[in-house]
């Protein structure tokens, strides 16, 4: 079979959308901001942020009356606090328009608890006595239209596991976007999956097996269909938190590549480090550092390409808290 190609596109950097107030823009209802230090001081060195304030974009001024999510007759609306106006449709329309323009994004950071931008747990007023939280209308529409896009809220980024998972997914999605810009072929797709095998095994062993079987039997399917299904499976799997048990499994797999090179003492040291991580005594970086040391000493081309070993710049130090 001739290896067809999905046409490439121009390649941008790692661009991440963000609620403008999180970068210190004074666009909130009271004329203030909600600066997120981790985004502004750390992530801004690795991501090109594209700030958006949907409330200002649809014509609400600064300052402005507060808006909130309201449940009316089973439908969620966005209304002024005093009920004087309703901006549900303008926010929805704006999100639909933006979803057509933001395909270049590799991630998005939303402002927590916002009736427009909150991705979860936004206070819901009105008739919903038993269900008092909802999703911001702009965020909900954007997530529906761009289902593969990694998203997170500023408050949740204070959690070390959620922070690491989000940043990892942004780099993974950008990696996929680069492949699409280069042009997807069956050979390149197999090579991409090969690099992500251990990352998938750490996050979702079931998806690791399923995607592997899918690609092994893909010769009769259209390439576009294969790429879409694979990317959806990949990004959904990476959303799952990598458990201590799964990390231990991957570390033991990686250890096996050095069984002929290491001395008995080195093997015992590495196994002991992995076991202490499994029991919660050492952080993930302890056995990872040993494996990286042995990989430098005994190079292995297959391991060196594994995304699991370098999912993002080491300087971010995101695995120190795992």
């Amino acid at each position: 079979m001739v290896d067809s190609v999905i046409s490439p596109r121009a390649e941008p950097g790692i661009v991440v959308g963000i609620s403008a107030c999180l970068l210190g823009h004074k666009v909130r209802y009271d004329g203030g901001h909600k600066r997120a230090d981790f985004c502004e001081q750390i992530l801004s060195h690795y991501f090109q942020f594209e700030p958006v304030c949907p409330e200002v974009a649809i014509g609400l001024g600064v300052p402005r009356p507060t808006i909130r999510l309201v449940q009316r007759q089973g439908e969620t609306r966005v209304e002024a606090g005093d009920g004087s106006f309703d901006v549900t449709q303008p926010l929805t329309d704006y999100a639909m328009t933006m979803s057509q323009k933001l395909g270049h994004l590799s991630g998005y950071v939303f402002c927590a608890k916002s009736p427009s931008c909150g991705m979860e747990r936004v206070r819901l007023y009105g008739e919903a006595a038993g269900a008092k939280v909802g999703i911001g209308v702009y965020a909900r529409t954007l997530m529906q239209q761009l289902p593969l896009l990694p998203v997170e809220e500023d408050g949740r980024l204070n959690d070390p596991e959620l922070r690491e998972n989000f940043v990892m997914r942004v780099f993974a999605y950008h990696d996929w976007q680069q492949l699409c810009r280069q042009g997807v072929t069956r050979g390149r797709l197999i090579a991409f999956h090969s690099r992500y095998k251990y990352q998938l095994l750490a996050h979702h062993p079931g998806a690791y097996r399923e995607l592997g079987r899918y690609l092994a039997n893909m010769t009769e399917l259209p390439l576009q269909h294969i790429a879409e299904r694979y990317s959806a499976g990949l990004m959904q799997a990476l959303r799952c938190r990598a458990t201590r048990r799964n990390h231990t499994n991957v570390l033991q797999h990686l250890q096996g590549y050095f069984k002929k090179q290491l001395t008995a003492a080195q093997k015992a040291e590495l196994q002991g480090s992995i076991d202490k991580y499994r029991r919660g005594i050492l952080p993930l970086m302890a056995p990872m550092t040993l494996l990286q040391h042995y990989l430098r000493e005994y190079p292995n081309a297959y391991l060196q390409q594994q995304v699991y070993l370098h999912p993002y710049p080491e300087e971010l130090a995101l695995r120190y808290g795992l």
Side-chain angles (χ1 to χ4, degrees):
M1 176 181 290
V2 176
D3 201 11
S4 56
V5 180
I6 297 175
S7 301
R9 294 167 293 182
E11 178 181 344
I14 301 182
V15 185
V16 172
I18 189 169
S19 295
C21 59
L22 300 181
L23 290 184
H25 296 202
K26 296 181 179 181
V27 293
R28 285 175 60 80
Y29 71 95
D30 58 359
H33 59 76
K34 196 181 176 185
R35 181 180 286 110
D37 290 342
F38 178 65
C39 294
E40 186 181 53
Q41 298 177 12
I42 306 297
L43 290 185
S44 61
H45 295 291
Y46 303 92
F47 300 156
Q48 176 187 333
F49 280 122
E50 193 164 300
V52 178
C53 178
E55 295 175 23
V56 171
I58 64 171
L60 298 181
V62 179
R64 57 182 175 274
T66 58
I67 57 175
R68 60 185 187 178
L69 290 185
V70 180
Q71 189 85 1
R72 296 195 186 282
Q73 298 179 339
E75 183 180 3
T76 300
R77 311 293 301 179
V78 185
E79 301 178 354
D82 60 5
S84 59
F85 60 84
D86 183 313
V87 290
T88 310
Q89 198 58 50
L91 282 173
T92 302
D93 292 343
Y94 180 69
M96 292 294 293
T97 298
M98 291 300 287
S99 70
Q100 301 299 313
K101 299 179 179 180
L102 298 179
H104 61 290
L105 295 186
S106 299
Y108 207 113
V109 182
F110 291 112
C111 177
K113 301 181 180 179
S114 163
S116 58
C117 294
M119 61 175 276
E120 65 173 24
R121 297 174 298 171
V122 180
R123 185 173 180 182
L124 188 62
Y125 296 82
E127 302 167 358
K132 298 183 179 180
V133 293
I135 302 173
V137 170
Y138 171 79
R140 181 185 64 199
T141 305
L142 209 62
M143 290 188 291
Q144 289 172 344
Q145 296 300 309
L146 301 172
L148 301 187
L149 184 69
V151 299
E152 197 48 272
E153 287 186 335
D154 59 305
R156 286 165 51 94
L157 289 176
N158 293 319
D159 181 301
E161 290 188 10
L162 294 177
R163 173 186 297 190
E164 191 275 341
N165 182 269
F166 172 68
V167 174
M168 175 275 298
R169 286 186 291 127
V170 170
F171 276 91
Y173 190 47
H174 179 68
D175 200 3
W176 175 255
Q177 290 171 312
Q178 286 182 305
L179 174 62
C180 293
R181 293 178 190 110
Q182 182 184 18
V184 178
T185 67
R186 295 175 192 271
R188 288 170 181 166
L189 185 52
I190 292 293
F192 182 95
H193 178 67
S194 179
R195 293 193 298 110
Y196 274 86
K197 279 188 174 181
Y198 287 119
Q199 188 75 320
L200 279 166
L201 186 59
H203 287 267
H204 197 303
Y208 161 80
R209 293 187 291 270
E210 181 182 347
L211 290 173
R213 287 194 298 265
Y214 177 66
L215 293 184
N217 297 283
M218 69 179 183
T219 55
E220 302 303 319
L221 297 172
L223 183 57
Q224 183 70 41
H225 174 82
I226 295 166
E228 290 176 356
R229 179 172 171 181
Y230 178 82
S231 59
L234 172 74
M235 297 310 301
Q236 183 176 2
L238 295 182
R239 287 182 63 184
C240 298
R241 296 195 196 189
T243 64
R244 190 174 294 272
R245 179 180 179 180
N246 288 347
H247 273 307
T248 299
N249 184 30
V250 171
L251 293 169
Q252 290 171 338
H253 273 79
L254 299 180
Q255 180 187 27
Y257 285 90
F258 300 102
K259 60 184 178 182
K260 295 182 178 179
Q261 290 91 354
L262 301 185
T263 67
Q266 288 173 323
K267 290 177 183 177
E269 180 186 25
L270 180 54
Q271 181 56 50
S273 181
I274 293 173
D275 187 60
K276 286 181 180 179
Y277 163 72
R278 179 186 64 83
R279 291 185 285 140
I281 298 173
L282 291 177
L284 179 61
M285 281 306 300
M288 287 292 296
T289 300
L290 269 178
L291 283 167
Q292 294 280 14
H293 168 71
Y294 291 135
L295 185 57
R296 288 191 297 269
E297 191 169 347
Y298 307 108
N300 180 298
Y302 179 72
L303 287 189
Q304 287 170 329
Q305 70 167 350
Q306 288 300 312
V307 171
Y308 179 79
L309 294 173
H310 42 80
Y312 34 70
E314 183 179 1
E315 292 76 12
L316 282 165
L318 295 174
R319 279 178 163 168
Y320 286 92
L322 304 182

